[in-house]
Amino acid sequence: MFNVLLAVTTKDLNQIVKPLLDVLGVLVPVLLGVVGALGAIWCIALGVKYAKADDPQEHEKAKSGLKNAIIGFVLIFVLLIALQIAVSVFTNWYINYEYPVI
């Protein structure tokens, strides 16, 4: 298996990795925008539902839903930002990696 890894040259890996990094570089900011827009719309809708709730049980259910939505969207943002950081870290690692000489 090690011989197979050594057989792959820098040029071969660059042909594989560069398109993936290009796609992730375009996709992550778009996903951040879409998630942000959907999160804002969903939280506004849940806030309106919370404000309109008359029954205490309905009020508590809307409050719980709003809290869960905010936690979920914050988690999605954190994961997308972590993905963007990880891509830059792995890109730097890939660029600076020195292949062993046999």
Side-chain angles (χ1 to χ4, degrees):
M1 170 119 174
F2 189 68
N3 292 336
V4 173
L5 292 175
L6 289 178
V8 177
T9 64
T10 306
K11 186 177 179 183
D12 293 337
L13 282 177
N14 202 16
Q15 291 175 353
I16 295 169
V17 173
K18 183 153 177 35
L20 291 174
L21 292 176
D22 291 342
V23 168
L24 284 176
V26 170
L27 194 62
V28 170
V30 170
L31 285 175
L32 281 171
V34 169
V35 168
L38 289 175
I41 292 168
W42 186 249
C43 287
I44 289 170
L46 287 174
V48 168
K49 185 177 178 182
Y50 176 72
K52 284 186 169 183
D54 293 329
D55 186 28
Q57 186 179 15
E58 199 177 307
H59 192 278
E60 198 60 38
K61 185 177 176 184
K63 181 179 175 181
S64 174
L66 184 59
K67 183 174 69 171
N68 290 338
I70 291 171
I71 291 170
F73 285 114
V74 167
L75 184 62
I76 290 170
F77 271 118
V78 167
L79 291 175
L80 284 173
I81 291 170
L83 175 65
Q84 196 165 13
I85 292 170
V87 165
S88 67
V89 168
F90 287 127
T91 301
N92 290 335
W93 171 78
Y94 165 72
I95 290 170
N96 297 324
Y97 183 74
E98 294 181 19
Y99 294 92
V101 179
I102 298 177

